[in-house]
Amino acid sequence: MSKYLGIDLGTQSLKVLIYNAESKEVEATASSELALRSRPDGTREQEANWWLDALHAAMAELSPSNRDGIAAIGVSGQQHGFTPLGADGRVLAPVKLWCDTSTTA
């Protein structure tokens, strides 16, 4: 069976979709909402670990039979964000989202 997992990380939620290429049908979908840190100065941030928590929550909504046999994964995400990473690959600070204007000056 040719099943594919699509993952889309947006600013408001993370969505997952299982597509069956043989039947040409979507077998399952799930999503998990994401919090948004907003401040009057234009700050729009998220914590990177929120994304992983949302992925785990959305995947947990899919049945084991839906998750079984996935041949490939496709990922899409937000544009124009900034996730600062250290040399060891660890996230150093909150993620600045595309809609953040606190750093305009």
Side-chain angles (χ1 to χ4, degrees):
M1 181 182 297
S2 299
K3 292 197 313 189
Y4 303 95
L5 170 65
I7 302 170
D8 177 55
L9 172 63
T11 52
Q12 297 179 353
S13 67
L14 182 138
K15 297 155 289 290
V16 295
L17 175 142
I18 302 285
Y19 177 74
N20 184 317
E22 291 175 10
S23 66
K24 298 185 178 167
E25 293 181 352
V26 173
E27 287 190 0
T29 62
S31 66
S32 182
E33 290 186 16
L34 289 165
L36 175 66
R37 187 177 296 135
S38 297
R39 293 193 201 102
D41 69 352
T43 295
R44 302 294 183 271
E45 298 174 338
Q46 290 175 331
E47 299 291 334
N49 64 300
W50 296 352
W51 299 346
L52 293 175
D53 292 345
L55 177 60
H56 288 234
M59 291 300 292
E61 288 185 37
L62 302 175
S63 70
S65 64
N66 285 128
R67 295 190 311 257
D68 187 42
I70 293 173
I73 300 172
V75 180
S76 66
Q78 307 164 15
Q79 295 184 44
H80 313 296
F82 174 62
T83 307
L85 302 176
D88 61 358
R90 291 174 29 129
V91 178
L92 299 174
V95 176
K96 291 290 188 184
L97 300 178
W98 65 270
C99 50
D100 184 285
T101 58
S102 66
T103 59
T104 301

